[in-house]
Amino acid sequence: TPNPEVLKFIPGQPVSPAGPHEFRSAEETAQSPLAAALFEVEGVTRAFFGSDFLTVTKDADREWKHLKAPVLAAIMEHYTSGAPVIIDPDAPAASREVHGEGDYGAAAAAIVAEIKDLLDTRIRPSVAQDGGDILFDRYEPDTGVVWLQMRGACSGCPSSSATLKAGVENMLKHYVPEVTAVEQTL
């Protein structure tokens, strides 16, 4: 991935087909035996599950040459065990969008729907190739600012600001003239 603290793994089997899941600490892994196993590897600080890939984030003071083998072993052991990746795949994933179309007036709701459509069809698939995800957080109709949450390899990535401004912001401004800026929710 473009983020030096994150590696993307493609196990060749479904990871989280019901939707992305992010685990920011060992305490959040109760619904995922795979995430729990990853956090048992000393130095792992975050895990993100996409539909057919997962990304693992490490401490900045650790090196991948020491962590890659134990992380890969945890992934392989999980898939050979036959245990589910997510115990209840229908449970809502953490860090879902904060505001939906129903939180806005009719005109703003149409803009939000258009923003979400662009995110889902043009932006998220591209970002997933790098092991990340972008979720809609909110839209401010008065200012035209869209707030997005970066997850997976995108969270904390040195190039995430460039991705937001040069890529996502330009695309949203082009297709949705009401958008004036894109900001990242921390």
Side-chain angles (χ1 to χ4, degrees):
T1 70
N3 187 340
E5 307 304 331
V6 180
L7 280 183
K8 179 179 176 180
F9 296 88
I10 303 172
Q13 297 183 38
V15 178
S16 186
H21 282 76
E22 184 169 49
F23 304 92
R24 296 177 178 214
S25 69
E27 292 77 30
E28 295 179 2
T29 64
Q31 72 178 42
S32 174
L34 176 55
L38 291 170
F39 275 92
E40 289 177 10
V41 176
E42 192 172 332
V44 169
T45 61
R46 188 176 287 193
F48 176 77
F49 297 171
S51 61
D52 63 351
F53 70 91
L54 59 119
T55 61
V56 177
T57 306
K58 67 171 185 64
D59 279 332
D61 60 341
R62 309 265 181 175
E63 294 191 31
W64 278 116
K65 67 182 179 182
H66 302 296
L67 288 175
K68 190 174 181 179
V71 167
L72 192 54
I75 294 168
M76 291 172 56
E77 285 175 23
H78 173 80
Y79 278 99
T80 58
S81 76
V85 174
I86 306 291
I87 293 170
D88 183 5
D90 296 326
S95 302
R96 291 286 180 170
E97 66 187 39
V98 176
H99 299 282
E101 286 95 335
D103 296 336
Y104 301 97
I111 294 168
V112 168
E114 195 172 351
I115 291 167
K116 287 181 179 181
D117 183 58
L118 284 167
L119 286 171
D120 289 344
T121 60
R122 295 188 178 222
I123 297 167
R124 291 179 76 199
S126 173
V127 171
Q129 290 178 354
D130 285 338
D133 195 16
I134 297 180
L135 289 182
F136 175 83
D137 183 60
R138 67 186 181 276
Y139 170 66
E140 296 174 353
D142 295 340
T143 62
V145 176
V146 176
W147 291 84
L148 302 174
Q149 182 184 50
M150 309 289 277
R151 301 192 323 170
C154 295
S155 181
C157 179
S159 63
S160 66
S161 294
T163 299
L164 271 180
K165 294 297 179 181
V168 177
E169 183 175 275
N170 287 344
M171 180 178 285
L172 289 179
K173 284 175 153 182
H174 176 76
Y175 288 104
V176 186
E178 294 85 356
V179 171
T180 61
V182 173
E183 298 294 336
Q184 181 174 346
T185 302
L186 301 176

